[in-house]
Amino acid sequence: MGHSRLIPQFTVLRLMVSIAVVAGGLAYLVNTKGAYWAALSNVPLRFTILDDASGRPIPHASVRLPGTPVYESPPTGDDGQTTVVVSVMCSGETGLLRKTRHANFGPWRIRVVAPGYKTFVESLEDHTQDARFHEENPNPPPIVIRMQREPERPASGGDGGATGAVGTPGTPG
């Protein structure tokens, strides 16, 4: 009888050691560093340009990223959307169970111009914090820009010359 008790204990001990070895091996693989890399990547940046007050799309707006090189979009359509593909420096780590990528949107500023609206200028980096801008083969969300209308200019003063004034100020009449 003593012999039959040793077999189950030996099997349980063996199973526990096997589980510990497998768990240790998995922990090692998960924490093992991979190869670090850096390269230029083309990243599509989709822009949606909207009226700040109404939320409606603004057609005929252009997006420009001044710098070296300069990137410029085609004008927005009726949906207020356009795309600019930028070449940015990316870096990351590739390993057995780990793959990372970070895109550096660095010094670019977004400059948006649309007829009847104030020019919009802000840092591109401020609009690309979402992790989807940095993942491998990203489908980043659109960058939504809300533009404010130019203030209405008062009509040129005067009553169209009905006062009988001759000439203009500063010229002999």
Side-chain angles (χ1 to χ4, degrees):
M1 264 201 179
H3 183 66
S4 63
R5 283 185 171 166
L6 290 178
I7 293 174
Q9 288 177 356
F10 179 70
T11 305
V12 170
L13 179 61
R14 193 180 240 178
L15 179 63
M16 288 173 56
V17 169
S18 297
I19 289 172
V21 168
V22 169
L26 286 175
Y28 174 77
L29 287 175
V30 168
N31 291 315
T32 299
K33 297 290 182 188
Y36 293 101
W37 58 270
L40 285 175
S41 289
N42 290 331
V43 178
L45 298 176
R46 295 179 300 134
F47 290 88
T48 301
I49 313 301
L50 303 174
D51 180 281
D52 187 42
S54 70
R56 290 191 175 127
I58 300 174
H60 311 294
S62 66
V63 176
R64 184 179 174 127
L65 304 174
T68 304
V70 174
Y71 293 100
E72 192 158 0
S73 75
T76 56
D78 290 338
D79 59 0
Q81 295 183 358
T82 190
T83 300
V84 177
V85 178
V86 296
S87 183
V88 297
M89 183 55 74
C90 293
S91 61
E93 178 185 353
T94 303
L96 185 62
L97 299 175
R98 183 180 173 110
K99 190 169 193 173
T100 65
R101 182 182 101 161
H102 175 77
N104 180 359
F105 293 103
W108 280 299
R109 298 187 62 75
I110 303 168
R111 185 173 194 274
V112 184
V113 177
Y117 289 86
K118 293 180 181 178
T119 299
F120 175 93
V121 179
E122 281 189 11
S123 167
L124 175 60
E125 199 166 39
D126 290 345
H127 294 272
T128 55
Q129 298 299 316
D130 189 306
R132 292 174 288 177
F133 287 100
H134 303 281
E135 295 169 353
E136 188 71 27
N137 299 316
N139 184 15
I143 296 171
V144 178
I145 304 294
R146 296 185 169 275
M147 296 187 71
Q148 296 178 352
R149 285 196 172 273
E150 282 283 350
E152 297 269 337
R153 292 186 179 159
S156 58
D159 50 12
T163 61
V166 179
T168 58
T171 61

